[in-house]
Amino acid sequence: MAACSSYLRLYRSTSYGGAVLQLATLYTVINLSLYGFDNDTSSYRVGSCNAYFYDGANAGTPLYPGATGANSSAATMLTGWDNRVSSVYIG
């Protein structure tokens, strides 16, 4: 499997706190339930590859409307999206 050169980091708390899940696998939908992180993301840092966050498993819509391009970050999720992300795609 191909991997991004730096991790997508999902944090359980706002301001990059709490438990962190680091992901780098490219071109594959990653269901966060496999890592015990379903509906747990409250902040994030995107590595050097674009990322896409989805409300449902298996890239189920809707797509998170915030900035998730390479090297973006957010200390809090957009309104209504705290603890809502169920799957991600890096690529």
Side-chain angles (χ1 to χ4, degrees):
M1 286 189 206
C4 187
S5 62
S6 59
Y7 290 108
L8 163 64
R9 291 179 174 89
L10 305 176
Y11 297 87
R12 191 159 275 150
S13 299
T14 59
S15 301
Y16 317 109
V20 61
L21 176 63
Q22 298 184 130
L23 303 166
T25 303
L26 287 169
Y27 314 122
T28 301
V29 173
I30 301 167
N31 288 313
L32 300 179
S33 62
L34 298 174
Y35 301 93
F37 226 81
D38 187 28
N39 298 319
D40 277 341
T41 301
S42 293
S43 58
Y44 63 89
R45 294 181 198 267
V46 179
S48 59
C49 301
N50 294 333
Y52 304 89
F53 301 169
Y54 299 91
D55 182 42
N58 301 310
T61 57
L63 177 67
Y64 178 69
T68 59
N71 302 307
S72 61
S73 63
T76 60
M77 303 298 283
L78 293 179
T79 300
W81 278 88
D82 188 40
N83 298 320
R84 188 170 158 189
V85 177
S86 290
S87 59
V88 298
Y89 180 87
I90 303 170

